[in-house]
Each structure stands twice: as structure tokens, then as C-alpha cells.
Amino acid sequence: MNLLKVGGCLMAGLLLTQPVNAATYYADAACAVQGDGTSTDCASGTGEAGAFALITEGLAELEPGDVLQLAAGTYDQRIVIQVDTNAPEGTEDDPIVIRGAGTGQTIVRGDNLDEPTVLIDRSYWTLEELTVQNGEGDELAEGGCIKVRDQISGVVLRKLVVDGQGKSGGGIKLSCLFDFTACPQGTLIEDVLSHDHLRPDREDAHCVSLNWASREEYGIADTVIRRMTAWGCSGDGVQIIGRDDGQGVSAINTLIEDSTFYRKYDIADEENAIDVKSARGVIIRGNTMHGFRPTPTSSTGTVIMVHYASRDVVIENNIIYGGGQNIRVAKGAVYEPDDHPQNVIIRNNIIYNATKVGAGNHRGGIGNGITIAEATNIKLLHNTVVDSEGTGIEINQSATDVLLRGNLVVGSGADDHELSLSNSGNVTASHNLIWGNDGPGTVKGVADLSSVCPTCLNADPIFVDREGHDFHLVAGSPAIDAGESMDEVVTDQEGTVRDETPNLGALESVSSVPPEPVTSSKGGGCITAHSGAPTGHLPVWMLTASAFAWLIRRRRR
């Protein structure tokens, strides 16, 4: 076959290169005859020079390093990358790429309502620059959009829109085969918008889910989710699945960073931004998340939930607001074994406006900024927690070995407190600052803050704009240089290096501009549902040049 070579060429605007021996093939939904893939034109006869009409039937022609370029158009067909379709495997150095003409231009929407539109069972394949939907619009098109499964490595899902059309059974699923012994590893999900996987009053349909395995050596591992935007899912933005009975092994080593998760609809159906069940080695970093409320299947309405027997979790540098609870670490009521989360670090987060307002006609949450319940070895370090309608930070009786250091906790509900320490003997507290809505802050059951924290302050931190959610400190703030250096917190949320006497809270830099002379008051806790993604919440490749530059500055660490 006479292949069209494009080796060594820099693809304009994509900053991608191909190996010297790579070939580019073509597919076009407008073609009625299956060509040999070597031309952008439609073939005059089956197997003759021309574009593939059916994507899956052309996969056998590809080799490591090749690119299959999909023309703009709507493809009412599935992409099935597995042994049964004779699809080869790529290699780590030379993956096989299926590339569309751009999201919204190339749309693959499937032809089987009970199966995912894209199924990947082979290693080192990349899918990029297209929109994936689930079926032609039938109300029963619940098969989901993309499933990655089997004992494979190196799958990349990049610059995609994964559109569930309000009915999908899930956006992106990482799953296991053969009695949960064959699971994908090293999957990258990057610059993806996953939305509208909605099935109210039915089973969960997560924007992204990572399944459990029967044993550790088979499990899903080393997954990276980066710069994703997720909203409108009946369940969670990302769920790391764990079993209620404690059997099986949840995903290991998962990184979720620089992403945006929010509740869009005013119904009690979108549960959590991130739900971590029995996972180990999770980093949740640099994300913006907001608006999640209690649902019939998730009673707490928590933005970030860490529960079951999760281990070694880091939650850092996030902006979290408007949840029924913003962060909760606890065993969970349905988890059967006698175990609970351990070794969790929560640091450098800005957390505000936790609310008791519910979604739709459903009841609201307790409005806590951070709740620590049945959990061991928990470190809350240099967080800024402001204007919770419940308690700012609540540490329950069942929590043990909790370190509370360097935090700013400001404002709580009328009948609540900035801090609640049910068993102060299980908490080591030092160098924190609390302040109330319009005066000194309170600790539940404690008349004098110094009795539980001699190095803590009860004073106005003097934010640049508390109501406008600019929580930088103004020169002269008592929180400046009031902390204690520690190895776990060497920079602040913006990447500024902390010195030997760091500022309290998530932000180290100081403004010389005094705040407006207004009375400090509790911020409104009612975050309304969005009609669309707010500015800066679109995937990076959709931003304007100026917005992109702003986002880079904002996320630089």
C-alpha cells in the first residue's frame, strides 16, 4: 500500500510531532464507500484510494505512530479499539492517534444505545480534538460515552468534549475485565469537558469514574486528570469507586489537578465534585469546585468527600465554595468494615460560603467548611476558611491524631462556631487565627481559645475584600508572620515561598491597599446554579489568549 508519510512535520497549532515512519490515514462520515484510508477524498470503490467511511473497520491498517484524521462531520458509529476489531497496540514512544477536526466539528455519537460510543481495550492509543456523544438522541441512549478497560497502559484522552446529552450512563469510565483482574494503568485525561450525564432518580452517571479491582496488582493505577471541566452529572465529577463491604482494591495513585467542577442544575442530583472511596495515593490540587448540595443518594452535599478506608490523600491549593459541606473526611455511614480514612493532608485551600441551602426542593446541608469525623492522622495546615453557614472547622469525637496549624477560620452561622473540637485531647492546635462575623470568634464548648490553643489568635485578619472573596492579607494584619515553619507547607497557594515565620492562611503575599471601610459581615451562602461555565472555567484550549495568560499566572506554583 502506498502510504502518505508526514514524518517529522510539526502540526500547525498542535505542537505535536510524529515519528519518521508514521503515516496519516483519513476517515470521513460523508463517504458511502469504505476506502483504504490514504486520501481525504471518498473512494470510488471498496478498498480503493479514499477515506475510511467506517472508523473501526479501518483500525487494522494502523501501526504504532500512525494518525487517523477524522474529517469534520457527524459519525453515527462507534469506535471500538480491541483485539476483536484487529486494532493494533501502539507503543510508549509511538502511540496511535485518532484526531478530529476539533470539538464541535467532529462528532462521534455512536450507533448502539446500550454500549459506550468509544471502547478502548488496547494500549497506547490517543483520542483527541473531537466531541463524543452517546447515541443519536434517543431517550434510552444510556450506554455512556467512553470506556477504557482491560490490562492496558498509556491511553490518552485529550481535548475532547464528552457530552452525555442529559441521559448518558457515564462520561469516561476506567473499568476492569475478567473478574476485575484486568484494569487500565497510566491513563491521561487532559483538557476535557465532560457534562450532562444525567439520569435523575436512577443509577449514578459520573463525569469520570475509576472502578475497583479484585487485587492490588491488578488495580487501576497512575491516572492523571488535568484541566478537566465537569458539570451536570448524576453523581460525581470524579468518583474513585470503592465497595461498601470493603472487598476489592480501589484505584492507586490518582492525580486530579487544575480542573473545574460545579453543580449546574437546581435539582438534587449532582452529588460531589470528587468522591474518594478507599483509594490510596490521591492528590487533589489546584482545582476550583463549588455548589454541590445534598441529594437523596448523598446526604452531606459535600464538594470533596474522602471516606471508606482511603489512605494517603493530599488536598491542596484548591478554591472550594458553596457546598453543603466543602470538605468532609469520614468513614461514611454505609461502609461496613471497621476502618476509616487515614493519613490525609488538607493544606493551602481557600474555602468559603459553605451553605445550609439545598438544591431544588431538597433539604440543605450542615454548612461546614471542613468536617473531620471518623479518621486518623489528619493534618489541616494553612487553610483559609471563611463565612460558613455552619461551623468553620468541625473535628468530631471520633477523629484521632489531628493537627490544626496555620489556619484562618473566619465567620460561622448564627448558632454555630468558628471551631468545634469535640475531643480536644485528640487535636493538636497551634498558630491559628479565628474571628467571627463581626467580632471575636468562638470555639464550641470552650470559653477561652487559649485553653485549647495558647498560640492561637482571636482577631480580625483584615482581608483585602472579605465579601468579594479576596482573602489576601492587608499590611498590618495580625495574621502576618504569625505562623510557624513546617516541612509540609513550603509555599502558599500561589507558589510564593514561605519563610521561617509564614503568614497564617493559604496566601503568603500581602496587599498594601487597605480594605474599604465597611463592616465585616457574613457572606451569602446561597450559590445559585450556573447556566453555563463561568469565565475561566472553560477547558484551557477554549480560552482566549488573554484568559489563557491569566490562568497560567493564577495556577503557577
Side-chain angles (χ1 to χ4, degrees):
M1 181 180 296
N2 183 21
L3 302 181
L4 177 62
K5 305 291 183 179
V6 293
C9 294
L10 181 65
M11 304 301 292
L14 294 177
L15 300 181
L16 299 174
T17 60
Q18 295 176 256
V20 173
N21 61 343
T24 296
Y25 291 84
Y26 302 93
D28 194 332
C31 295
V33 176
Q34 182 76 353
D36 64 2
T38 60
S39 171
T40 58
D41 298 326
C42 294
S44 57
T46 301
E48 296 183 7
F52 297 133
L54 298 174
I55 298 168
T56 296
E57 291 188 13
L59 298 182
E61 302 296 330
L62 305 182
E63 296 179 354
D66 287 349
V67 173
L68 175 55
Q69 180 69 54
L70 308 184
T74 299
Y75 295 74
D76 290 328
Q77 54 185 277
R78 300 176 67 211
I79 298 176
V80 181
I81 303 170
Q82 60 182 187
V83 173
D84 290 348
T85 60
N86 296 314
E89 291 198 316
T91 67
E92 184 173 3
D93 293 332
D94 296 324
I96 302 173
V97 178
I98 297 178
R99 180 180 300 144
T103 57
Q105 298 184 61
T106 300
I107 302 171
V108 180
R109 65 182 183 184
D111 63 355
N112 187 323
L113 304 183
D114 297 321
E115 297 290 341
T117 298
V118 177
L119 178 62
I120 303 176
D121 287 3
R122 304 289 276 163
S123 292
Y124 298 109
W125 280 75
T126 294
L127 187 70
E128 63 186 19
E129 299 277 4
L130 54 90
T131 293
V132 179
Q133 297 177 342
N134 60 311
E136 290 186 53
D138 192 290
E139 293 182 0
L140 300 178
E142 297 184 350
C145 291
I146 300 175
K147 181 177 283 188
V148 180
R149 65 181 191 180
D150 211 338
Q151 190 172 350
I152 61 174
S153 300
V155 170
V156 176
L157 306 174
R158 179 189 291 127
K159 296 185 180 179
L160 305 175
V161 170
V162 184
D163 177 6
Q165 304 179 93
K167 57 182 180 269
S168 166
I172 298 171
K173 298 181 180 181
L174 306 190
S175 302
C176 303
L177 289 177
F178 309 119
D179 295 325
F180 300 93
T181 63
C183 311
Q185 299 188 351
T187 304
L188 172 61
I189 301 170
E190 185 174 66
D191 296 321
V192 168
L193 168 60
S194 183
H195 70 96
D196 278 316
H197 309 285
L198 281 168
R199 302 198 297 179
D201 303 321
R202 286 176 285 174
E203 295 179 358
D204 285 346
H206 307 296
C207 291
V208 175
S209 61
L210 285 66
N211 211 345
W212 59 274
S214 60
R215 287 163 52 182
E216 178 176 340
E217 59 266 36
Y218 304 135
I220 293 173
D222 303 325
T223 303
V224 174
I225 300 170
R226 178 179 294 127
R227 296 189 302 273
M228 183 176 77
T229 298
W231 49 264
C233 295
S234 291
D236 308 315
V238 175
Q239 181 171 122
I240 302 178
I241 299 171
R243 289 181 49 156
D244 297 350
D245 61 7
Q247 300 298 309
V249 178
S250 298
I252 301 170
N253 297 340
T254 305
L255 171 62
I256 305 169
E257 68 176 357
D258 298 334
S259 297
T260 300
F261 303 89
Y262 62 94
R263 176 182 63 88
K264 180 173 182 179
Y265 301 108
D266 194 25
I267 56 175
D269 194 53
E270 300 168 68
E271 295 178 353
N272 314 107
I274 300 173
D275 188 353
V276 179
K277 297 179 175 178
S278 293
R280 288 179 293 154
V282 181
I283 299 176
I284 301 170
R285 178 172 66 201
N287 306 285
T288 299
M289 300 168 273
H290 58 93
F292 294 87
R293 309 290 170 79
T295 72
T297 53
S298 181
S299 61
T300 62
T302 303
V303 179
I304 298 180
M305 173 79 83
V306 178
H307 54 155
Y308 292 17
S310 296
R311 299 284 192 276
D312 304 322
V313 178
V314 176
I315 303 170
E316 63 182 0
N317 301 340
N318 302 285
I319 298 174
I320 307 166
Y321 61 95
Q325 295 182 58
N326 282 333
I327 297 177
R328 181 179 178 85
V329 181
K331 173 184 176 179
V334 301
Y335 189 61
E336 299 170 9
D338 185 19
D339 204 349
H340 54 255
Q342 298 183 39
N343 309 331
V344 179
I345 297 176
I346 302 172
R347 64 188 172 202
N348 281 343
N349 300 285
I350 293 176
I351 300 166
Y352 62 94
N353 284 13
T355 180
K356 294 183 178 181
V357 176
N361 296 322
H362 198 67
R363 63 171 182 81
I366 64 174
N368 284 0
I370 300 175
T371 303
I372 308 298
E374 309 95 328
T376 298
N377 190 21
I378 311 300
K379 297 180 179 181
L380 286 75
L381 311 174
H382 284 273
N383 300 287
T384 297
V385 183
V386 182
D387 289 334
S388 305
E389 287 192 341
T391 298
I393 296 178
E394 179 176 350
I395 300 175
N396 292 345
Q397 178 77 26
S398 52
T400 59
D401 192 14
V402 178
L403 175 62
L404 187 67
R405 180 178 293 171
N407 302 283
L408 291 176
V409 188
V410 178
S412 63
D415 299 321
D416 291 283
H417 306 270
E418 279 62 51
L419 292 178
S420 176
L421 311 177
S422 297
N423 185 353
S424 58
N426 291 334
V427 179
T428 300
S430 69
H431 298 86
N432 302 285
L433 180 149
I434 68 170
W435 186 247
N437 297 326
D438 298 297
T442 60
V443 181
K444 184 177 181 180
V446 177
D448 183 4
L449 173 63
S450 64
S451 66
V452 293
C453 181
T455 59
C456 287
L457 302 174
N458 201 335
D460 187 345
I462 317 179
F463 295 128
V464 168
D465 185 357
R466 176 171 166 181
E467 291 185 348
H469 312 132
D470 184 345
F471 302 120
H472 289 88
L473 302 174
V474 172
S477 166
I480 294 173
D481 295 339
E484 183 178 46
S485 179
M486 64 184 76
D487 292 339
E488 294 95 335
V489 186
V490 296
T491 62
D492 75 347
Q493 187 184 90
E494 297 176 332
T496 302
V497 176
R498 295 187 184 268
D499 57 23
E500 292 300 311
T501 54
N503 296 347
L504 303 181
L507 299 170
E508 187 69 18
S509 60
V510 175
S511 173
S512 60
V513 180
E516 293 294 324
V518 296
T519 302
S520 177
S521 61
K522 180 170 174 52
C526 184
I527 305 298
T528 57
H530 282 275
S531 60
T535 302
H537 287 193
L538 292 173
V540 169
W541 83 95
M542 293 183 179
L543 297 176
T544 63
S546 60
F548 181 79
W550 175 88
L551 186 59
I552 291 298
R553 292 195 300 272
R554 174 67 184 83
R555 289 304 187 196
R556 185 176 294 133
R557 290 189 297 275

